[in-house]
Amino acid sequence: MKKDVYILGIESSCDETSISIVKNGVEDVYTCVSTQMDTHANFGGVVPEIASRMHTENITFVLEDVMSNSGISWDMIDAIAVTYAPGLMGCLLVGIEFAKTLSLIYKKPLIAVHHIAGHIYANNLVERIEFPSLGLVVSGGHTELILLKGDYDFEVLGSTLDDAVGECYDKIARIIGFKYPGGPNIDKHALLGKHTYDLPKPMDDDSLNFSFSGLKSYIINLVHNEKQRGKEVNVDDLARSFQDVAVEQLVRKSRLAIEKYDSSRMIVAGGVSANAYLRDELRNMCEEKSVHFSVPPMRYCTDNATMIAAAAYPLFLKNDFSNFTLNAKSHEYFFDKKD
Ligand code: KG4
Ligand code: ZN
């Protein structure tokens, strides 16, 4: 009988310290996430120096929680996986050095996982990704439509020409005056508002590319102009108007890709896939086109180590291990990585 594979994953690229044990790349045995969100909210965004110090303070307690409550002992663990890119340099280094130390002490192979691969493989925690599938990657640094042809065999069909959609959510949240984290706050306030602002509709073409910077600049100017005239914007209505336009672009391009590539399956990945309106609109579009739709539950859309351990599984099967020269890469773009 084939032996079960248990991978311990570590994620510390931004403001969540998380460790998880995943069985066979699909089953979340136990996950602990310690978030620093409340601390950074006082500063309006993640303060890198504070974030890395907090990871150092928290990571041992997070591991202790996992090893005490998962029911898994060190001798059952087959490999240690860690996020090596992209993210805040100091934060990534805490996770990487912790992973190397565990790998050395317990003599377990080390697996380097790209954060975006983690977001993609979070889908395996719901139902195993079947190939080929169309993927929409939406995060703070990525906006791509991809063709998933096999494990780690992804072709970019279209991408943003400027800002990533998550970056746009965060900038607009800040200009409107919403607290950090911006994306989830726009999501919430949009529910309370009406689409009253007439905003430009970017990339109204047949390509599979996206653009968000024009929309962002338009909204920044609009808010400044209103302020100069002594008027206040209606924040809920502006959040709703922006979200409608941004999500419409993501859904329209996804529909185009489904048609162009005759896709019968679609997955979504990345932090912005936590957006309730985007999830609903994509699900409706896929239903209409009889396309099988899959999106991870909320807890696997925001940063977590479960997705890192899940993404490490196909690498484990290929014996794709790292050595102790592994270093953090704060800006590595996932789809540039060639095997
Ligand atoms: O994938 P992720 O962790 O980013 C990178 O790794 O770059 O996602 C973070 C992004 C942030 O821009 C955040 O505002 C956005 O995901 N986000 C959301 C929501 N939750 C997180 N955006 C819109 N609606 C949400 N509910
Ligand atoms: Zn993320």
Side-chain angles (χ1 to χ4, degrees):
M1 205 175 69
K2 214 175 126 243
K3 182 189 163 299
D4 287 324
V5 173
Y6 292 93
I7 298 181
L8 181 135
I10 301 172
E11 158 64 39
S12 67
S13 64
C14 192
D15 60 345
E16 261 92 33
T17 320
S18 178
I19 299 182
S20 172
I21 295 175
V22 170
K23 183 176 162 185
N24 299 330
V26 291
E27 191 185 316
D28 180 1
V29 177
Y30 190 86
T31 296
C32 177
V33 181
S34 162
T35 183
Q36 309 170 4
M37 199 183 280
D38 291 344
T39 303
H40 298 293
N42 297 321
F43 302 96
V46 179
V47 183
E49 175 68 19
I50 294 176
S52 50
R53 281 168 187 249
M54 287 184 78
H55 284 306
T56 310
E57 283 164 19
N58 296 338
I59 200 161
T60 323
F61 294 107
V62 173
L63 179 69
E64 194 179 35
D65 177 56
V66 172
M67 296 318 290
S68 313
N69 296 309
S70 60
I72 304 294
S73 55
W74 278 107
D75 57 328
M76 294 166 76
I77 289 175
D78 295 284
I80 313 277
V82 63
T83 308
Y84 75 97
L88 298 167
M89 192 46 125
C91 296
L92 290 165
L93 285 172
V94 175
I96 291 173
E97 290 313 308
F98 198 68
K100 282 185 194 171
T101 308
L102 294 175
S103 160
L104 181 69
I105 293 173
Y106 294 106
K107 300 189 173 46
K108 309 288 179 186
L110 183 66
I111 303 177
V113 175
H114 193 285
H115 187 80
I116 292 299
H119 278 299
I120 292 170
Y121 280 99
N123 280 277
N124 271 353
L125 298 159
V126 195
E127 54 177 312
R128 207 182 273 276
I129 302 169
E130 276 187 31
F131 305 111
S133 275
L134 177 73
L136 176 68
V137 180
V138 276
S139 79
H142 284 69
T143 312
E144 284 95 16
L145 274 163
I146 55 171
L147 191 59
L148 297 107
K149 298 190 268 192
D151 277 317
Y152 285 88
D153 183 7
F154 308 142
E155 183 189 337
V156 177
L157 307 176
S159 59
T160 182
L161 303 179
D162 39 61
D163 294 349
V165 61
E167 191 184 346
C168 188
Y169 260 90
D170 294 338
K171 293 253 168 68
I172 287 171
R174 191 181 276 248
I175 189 92
I176 296 182
F178 292 159
K179 267 181 66 183
Y180 170 84
N185 271 328
I186 292 200
D187 195 357
K188 262 188 254 153
H189 281 268
L191 283 176
L192 309 170
K194 290 191 286 297
H195 190 140
T196 54
Y197 289 92
D198 189 17
L199 303 176
K201 194 172 157 191
M203 300 301 286
D204 196 10
D205 63 2
D206 280 347
S207 80
L208 297 179
N209 294 324
F210 303 90
S211 168
F212 292 96
S213 76
L215 182 58
K216 179 188 72 185
S217 307
Y218 188 93
I219 293 178
I220 291 174
N221 287 336
L222 188 147
V223 173
H224 284 158
N225 287 342
E226 292 292 270
K227 270 196 188 139
Q228 271 167 4
R229 284 201 234 122
K231 285 167 83 191
E232 286 293 321
V233 290
N234 180 318
V235 292
D236 294 341
D237 287 354
L238 190 53
R240 171 68 185 271
S241 308
F242 157 68
Q243 175 152 287
D244 280 358
V245 174
V247 168
E248 192 272 340
Q249 186 184 167
L250 295 169
V251 176
R252 176 162 40 86
K253 297 292 174 138
S254 300
R255 180 189 283 113
L256 264 180
I258 285 172
E259 287 163 3
K260 275 191 187 176
Y261 289 85
D262 202 16
S263 308
S264 58
R265 311 186 69 85
M266 175 166 193
I267 64 133
V268 195
V272 184
S273 64
N275 185 274
Y277 184 59
L278 175 64
R279 297 162 79 92
D280 286 350
E281 288 297 288
L282 283 172
R283 185 171 285 114
N284 292 342
M285 182 272 287
C286 283
E287 251 172 48
E288 191 192 294
K289 301 200 84 62
S290 305
V291 166
H292 182 86
F293 178 70
S294 164
V295 61
M298 294 296 200
R299 68 182 183 286
Y300 298 138
C301 289
T302 49
D303 290 347
N304 64 86
T306 335
M307 67 184 197
I308 301 304
Y313 182 71
L315 300 174
F316 177 88
L317 295 181
K318 287 197 294 175
N319 289 333
D320 193 344
F321 302 131
S322 289
N323 59 31
F324 293 147
T325 61
L326 176 67
N327 208 339
K329 297 208 172 129
S330 57
H331 286 97
E332 189 170 87
Y333 175 69
F334 179 55
F335 300 103
D336 284 344
K337 198 179 167 201
K338 300 271 182 300
D339 264 340

